[in-house]
Amino acid sequence: MKKSNYAGLWLLLATALIIVLTVAFSDDISLGSYTIKKAPFRESLLTDHDAEAREAAQQDSILAVRREEQEKREKEVHVDSTSQSILLIGDSMTLNLAYRLAQYAKHNGHTFHSVNWDSSGTVKWGKSRHLEEFIKEYGATYVFISLGSNELYIKDPKSHLKYIESILEQVGDRPYVWIGPPNWKEDFGINDLLEATCVPGGFFRSAGMEFERKKDGIHPTREASALWIDSIARWMPKSSHPIIMDTPPDSIGKVSPNVKYMKATDK
């Protein structure tokens, strides 16, 4: 008796399920003046949500690649093939850099002048208007700046921000490369500050490079400084304003760096 009752119950449930599914997957059903709307979950049951998600993700990926390619095309920088009047200024690191940079300048048709101010930093150059004066004197069209070595010890480098900005203000709209200090110890953020303040592609980070140094353990040797400039020349296509910097042959020999010396006591 119980089996018969259960059999009837299961038959009733099965019949109800069939009716529900029939209505759900059929079009609207009209009975006289009444219309039974098809179930809204029909589409949900028949839709492959995973496939839609994969397709949407694929489309997003394609669009992201296209945007990236477009941005690269927009940011593509062409090498300036014109002859430049190059000016290199900076602290005591400058002289050895100047010897090699002068060779690059001669080989590539640029003129070159340099200013070596011993014990100088962003404060001295920023407070004075010497850079502006030298730019005018030499008719500089491209500026290299070698400063920051004497500020590795500064625990609050942001206090020098106004002097860095003053230096860049004197450079004006001329293209430039700020050569970061050749760290022999960890700094307190001067490199990060310089990079953040310079235009994108206007700062060459030297920290982390290996240098053969003089007996003081600070200044790179002349040979190491030449390799330093070689590294900058290879990086130049990534700079904000690349110029022709083909490697000079060994036959070029010594080239005058046209250096002007300033004393540590100068203001």
Side-chain angles (χ1 to χ4, degrees):
M1 183 69 178
K2 290 182 179 179
K3 290 184 178 180
S4 176
N5 288 340
Y6 280 126
L9 179 60
W10 283 114
L11 179 62
L12 180 62
L13 290 173
T15 302
L17 178 61
I18 292 172
I19 295 173
V20 170
L21 291 175
T22 299
V23 173
F25 288 93
S26 65
D27 292 331
D28 295 347
I29 300 175
S30 297
L31 296 174
S33 59
Y34 297 96
T35 299
I36 303 175
K37 297 289 183 181
K38 61 182 180 181
F41 55 85
R42 175 188 182 187
E43 289 76 9
S44 299
L45 292 175
L46 296 180
T47 299
D48 186 346
H49 291 289
D50 289 339
E52 286 185 350
R54 288 193 297 270
E55 183 178 355
Q58 185 178 19
Q59 290 296 324
D60 290 341
S61 178
I62 292 173
L63 290 174
V65 171
R66 288 177 179 174
R67 282 194 295 268
E68 184 177 356
E69 291 175 345
Q70 180 63 28
E71 289 175 358
K72 286 182 179 179
R73 284 194 293 269
E74 292 174 353
K75 294 180 179 179
E76 184 178 0
V77 180
H78 298 284
V79 176
D80 185 345
S81 60
T82 61
S83 297
Q84 302 292 326
S85 176
I86 297 175
L87 172 63
L88 167 64
I89 65 98
D91 52 32
S92 56
M93 301 290 175
T94 305
L95 181 59
N96 282 336
L97 291 174
Y99 284 116
R100 184 58 170 166
L101 191 52
Q103 291 179 320
Y104 272 90
K106 181 177 180 180
H107 178 62
N108 292 284
H110 309 305
T111 59
F112 181 78
H113 291 87
S114 59
V115 180
N116 185 104
W117 191 354
D118 283 341
S119 301
S120 67
T122 59
V123 176
K124 283 190 173 183
W125 283 98
K127 280 186 174 181
S128 73
R129 304 301 294 184
H130 291 317
L131 177 53
E132 187 175 54
E133 295 164 1
F134 290 131
I135 287 174
K136 184 177 181 180
E137 179 180 351
Y138 300 125
T141 59
Y142 205 105
V143 180
F144 284 85
I145 303 165
S146 176
L147 290 172
S149 294
N150 292 315
E151 288 153 293
L152 296 184
Y153 301 95
I154 302 299
K155 293 187 178 180
D156 182 20
K158 289 184 179 179
S159 64
H160 289 198
L161 177 58
K162 62 181 178 181
Y163 303 115
I164 297 171
E165 291 176 335
S166 173
I167 292 169
L168 296 178
E169 180 268 324
Q170 292 179 63
V171 173
D173 58 1
R174 295 169 186 79
Y176 67 88
V177 170
W178 193 305
I179 304 172
N183 286 44
W184 58 93
K185 65 178 294 294
E186 289 294 325
D187 61 79
F188 292 93
I190 186 64
N191 276 288
D192 292 340
L193 178 64
L194 289 171
E195 186 168 17
T197 310
C198 291
V199 297
F203 178 76
F204 179 84
R205 184 180 284 265
S206 307
M209 296 177 65
E210 294 292 331
F211 294 96
E212 181 181 352
R213 301 181 190 267
K214 297 181 180 180
K215 291 181 179 180
D216 61 7
I218 294 176
H219 295 81
T221 62
R222 183 175 297 188
E223 293 75 17
S225 296
L227 295 175
W228 190 3
I229 288 293
D230 290 344
S231 297
I232 295 171
R234 289 192 296 270
W235 165 85
M236 182 61 73
K238 300 178 182 178
S239 69
S240 59
H241 192 106
I243 58 175
I244 297 177
M245 289 281 281
D246 294 334
T247 306
D250 294 338
S251 59
I252 197 169
K254 293 182 179 180
V255 177
S256 173
N258 293 323
V259 60
K260 178 181 178 63
Y261 295 96
M262 296 180 69
K263 299 177 182 179
T265 55
D266 290 338
K267 295 181 178 180

